[in-house]
């Protein structure tokens, strides 16, 4: 039957019912029950202590001794809460059951003693509230059920259930169902209030400390650094490959009928370049597909592929004279990787802006504290055209991230790119 009560008159009752029995209240009640379950081992230890101390063999049958055992067990729970995994476990429970915004809670073990003390406070409160509500949840519903059915089942009145003597009166017997319902509502109210208090205290006791926020900021910065590096890897790898393949194909087309040996060499270089580039592209895209920004994509290094890079570049018609005065195998892997990309981009710029048959000089030297990479080619054709790509900017970014420097521009009639990377203190 449709209710004709106005909307405003129904709202307070609905809000109260939702507060007691709504989905959030039920989940918080479960959270309290879990706290009571976690408290049970400590209560049992407390009974082992309280029994001999009171010369009692029946601690479990004595409600006051049970309370004393509970009070003895809570300090033991506080001590165990000092273990690092207590906070992640507690945070997971709060996020899943208490309806607290996850951003207001900390991730991972506590990093300071202040955070550990707050975790101890939370764990003790959770087990304390949970033990009380769990005990009430076990004892109150059966008692309330007996009160509700007592007027209907005459056999219960004469049984040894420990019912109050007041229920022998007719008026009390008539009111016992109401008392039973009120008792259940009181239990739900206690559980809802306890769950609401814990949910309010959770951000203060389990929230991130300044150290946690700093660690999270560092993780985000590292993720952003990797995300920014992936486009550079794609630009340097694919951009160089396209420039080299275009020039190699153009040179082969011009001498197709007169120099078949050069054509075969150019086609082999195109095949090698595209195969390597596809492999690097798959590695970078694999990181993006897996969503693991902390994973480093496989990248070539000076030790792995400097000779191959020079060979493929020369096959495109660029006249490269290379002098390497450092052992690539002795370089730090990070320096070797970034140096390879810098050399690759320097040669790619010469290919892209100077064209084939351009003489390019590459000099790689390593002193005691820095690695120097110098690339030179004629100024007239080496200056990047307006609106060009981001090659020089990418080189500068790579050098700066390692604490190095880069310079590019016309010097004494040639276009010179100079990059210096530190060899000491490399992360």
């Amino acid at each position: 039957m449709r209710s004709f009560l106005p909307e405003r008159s129904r709202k307070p009752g609905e809000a109260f019912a939702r507060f007691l029995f709504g989905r959030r209240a039920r989940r918080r009640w479960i959270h309290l029950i879990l706290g009571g379950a976690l408290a049970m081992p400590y209560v049992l230890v407390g009974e082992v202590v309280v029994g001999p101390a009171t010369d009692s063999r029946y601690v479990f049958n004595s409600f006051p001794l049970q309370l004393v055992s509970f009070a003895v067990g809570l300090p033991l729970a506080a001590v165990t809460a000092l273990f690092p995994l207590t906070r992640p476990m507690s945070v997971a429970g709060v996020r899943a059951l208490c309806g607290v915004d996850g951003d207001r809670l900390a991730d991972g073990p506590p990093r300071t003693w202040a955070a550990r003390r707050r975790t101890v406070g939370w764990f003790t409160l959770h087990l304390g509230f949970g033990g009380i509500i769990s005990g009430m949840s076990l004892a109150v519903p059966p008692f309330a059920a007996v009160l509700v059915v007592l007027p209907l089942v005459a056999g219960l009145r004469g049984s040894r259930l420990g019912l109050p003597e007041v229920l022998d009166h007719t008026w009390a017997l008539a009111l016992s169902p109401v008392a039973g319902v009120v008792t259940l509502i009181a239990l739900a109210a206690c559980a809802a209030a306890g769950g609401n208090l814990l949910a309010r205290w959770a951000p203060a006791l389990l929230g991130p400390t300044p150290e946690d926020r700093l660690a999270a900021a560092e993780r985000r910065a590292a993720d952003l650094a990797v995300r920014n590096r992936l486009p550079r890897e794609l630009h340097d790898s694919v951009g160089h490959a396209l420039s080299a393949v275009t020039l190699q194909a153009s040179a082969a087309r011009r001498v197709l009928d007169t120099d078949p040996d050069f054509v075969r060499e150019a086609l082999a270089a195109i095949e090698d370049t595209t195969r390597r580039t596809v492999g690097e592209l798959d590695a970078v895209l694999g990181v993006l597909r897996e969503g693991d920004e902390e994973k480093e994509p496989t990248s070539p290094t000076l030790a792995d592929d400097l000779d191959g890079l020079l060979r493929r570049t020369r096959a495109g018609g660029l006249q490269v004279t290379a002098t390497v005065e450092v052992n690539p195998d002795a370089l730090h892997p990070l320096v070797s990787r970034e140096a390879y990309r810098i050399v690759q981009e320097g040669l790619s710029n010469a290919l892209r802006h100077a064209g084939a048959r351009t003489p390019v000089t590459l000099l790689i030297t390593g002193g005691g504290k820095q690695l120097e990479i110098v690339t030179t080619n004629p100024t007239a054709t080496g200056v990047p055209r307006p609106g060009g790509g981001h090659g020089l900017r990418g080189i500068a970014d790579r050098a700066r991230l390692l604490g190095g420097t880069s310079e590019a521009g016309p010097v004494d009639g040639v276009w010179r790119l100079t990059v210096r990377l530190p060899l000491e203190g490399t992360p």
Side-chain angles (χ1 to χ4, degrees):
M1 180 180 294
R2 181 178 177 182
S3 175
F4 292 96
L5 291 174
E7 185 67 21
R8 291 183 180 178
S9 65
R10 293 202 305 265
K11 282 185 177 180
E14 290 178 358
F16 183 68
R18 191 179 301 111
F19 174 75
L20 294 183
F21 305 107
R23 181 174 180 270
R24 176 174 293 181
R26 296 196 303 269
R27 293 170 70 90
R28 289 177 177 176
W29 199 336
I30 294 174
H31 183 251
L32 289 168
I33 297 297
L34 291 177
L38 291 174
M40 284 302 299
Y42 303 103
V43 175
L44 293 177
V45 174
E47 290 179 355
V48 173
V49 175
V50 170
T54 59
D55 294 330
S56 175
R57 299 174 57 186
Y58 303 101
V59 177
F60 188 77
N61 296 328
S62 173
F63 181 68
L65 292 181
Q66 283 288 303
L67 291 179
V68 175
S69 301
F70 184 62
V72 172
L74 282 181
L76 299 177
V79 173
T80 59
L82 291 172
F83 287 97
L85 293 180
T86 302
R87 189 172 76 168
M89 179 189 70
S90 300
V91 167
V94 171
R95 282 176 172 165
L97 299 174
C98 289
V100 178
D101 187 3
D103 293 338
R104 301 175 64 190
L105 303 174
D107 292 316
R111 300 174 180 272
T112 62
W113 278 106
R116 290 192 178 187
R117 287 194 296 270
R118 291 195 296 171
T119 303
V120 168
W122 165 263
F123 193 69
T124 306
L125 287 172
H126 183 205
L127 268 61
F129 278 40
I132 294 172
I133 298 300
S134 296
M136 294 174 62
S137 300
L138 290 174
V140 170
F143 177 70
V146 170
L147 291 179
V148 171
V149 302
L150 189 61
L152 305 176
V153 183
L156 292 176
R157 303 168 200 168
S159 62
R160 296 182 178 180
L161 293 178
L163 296 175
E165 294 181 0
V166 69
L167 292 176
D168 295 335
H169 298 284
T170 304
W171 63 269
L173 190 63
L175 293 176
S176 65
V178 177
V181 174
V182 171
T183 304
L184 290 176
I185 294 176
L187 170 62
C190 291
N196 190 50
L197 284 176
L198 287 182
R200 288 188 177 185
W201 291 337
L205 297 176
L206 297 177
T209 62
E211 291 78 8
D212 295 324
R213 293 189 179 92
L214 179 60
E218 291 175 348
R219 288 193 298 269
R220 287 193 295 269
D223 292 343
L224 289 175
V226 174
R227 286 179 179 270
N228 290 335
R229 192 172 73 81
L230 295 180
R232 286 201 306 270
E233 293 289 334
L234 288 175
H235 171 271
D236 292 351
S237 177
V238 177
H240 173 80
L242 291 176
S243 298
V245 167
T246 299
L247 291 176
Q248 289 162 351
S250 177
R253 179 180 57 81
R254 288 196 300 268
V255 297
L256 181 62
D257 298 326
T258 59
D259 194 348
D261 291 336
F262 179 82
V263 172
R264 281 192 292 269
E265 182 180 354
L267 291 176
I270 291 173
E271 181 183 4
D272 187 23
T273 300
T274 54
R275 182 184 296 111
R276 291 187 61 87
T277 305
V278 168
E280 295 176 18
L281 183 61
D282 285 342
V284 173
L285 295 180
V287 174
L288 294 176
R289 282 194 298 266
E290 294 172 5
D292 186 3
E293 288 82 6
E294 295 183 358
K295 180 180 178 181
E296 291 286 342
T298 303
S299 301
T301 63
L302 287 181
D304 298 333
D305 193 46
L306 177 59
D307 293 337
L309 174 63
L310 295 175
R311 183 181 66 254
R312 293 188 297 271
T313 304
R314 288 167 179 149
L318 203 63
Q319 301 175 6
V320 182
T321 301
T323 303
V324 181
E325 299 180 355
V326 65
N327 181 12
D329 295 327
L331 298 176
H332 188 282
L334 180 59
V335 175
S336 184
R337 183 191 71 196
E338 298 301 322
Y340 178 91
R341 290 302 191 193
I342 289 170
V343 171
Q344 184 184 55
E345 184 58 32
L347 296 177
S348 179
N349 279 341
L351 272 172
R352 190 180 301 115
H353 303 299
R357 308 301 178 185
T358 299
V360 177
T361 301
L362 172 65
L363 175 62
I364 303 177
T365 60
K369 295 184 178 180
Q370 66 180 10
L371 178 72
E372 186 175 73
I373 303 170
V374 181
T375 305
T376 58
N377 53 271
T379 304
T381 55
V383 178
R385 59 181 180 273
H390 303 281
L392 293 179
R393 185 187 306 171
I395 291 174
D397 290 341
R398 291 180 183 277
R400 184 170 58 253
L401 287 175
L402 292 182
T405 60
S406 68
E407 301 173 0
V411 178
D412 297 331
V414 297
W415 178 267
R416 177 177 297 172
L417 169 65
T418 304
V419 179
R420 298 179 179 87
L421 303 178
L423 295 177
E424 296 182 351
T426 301

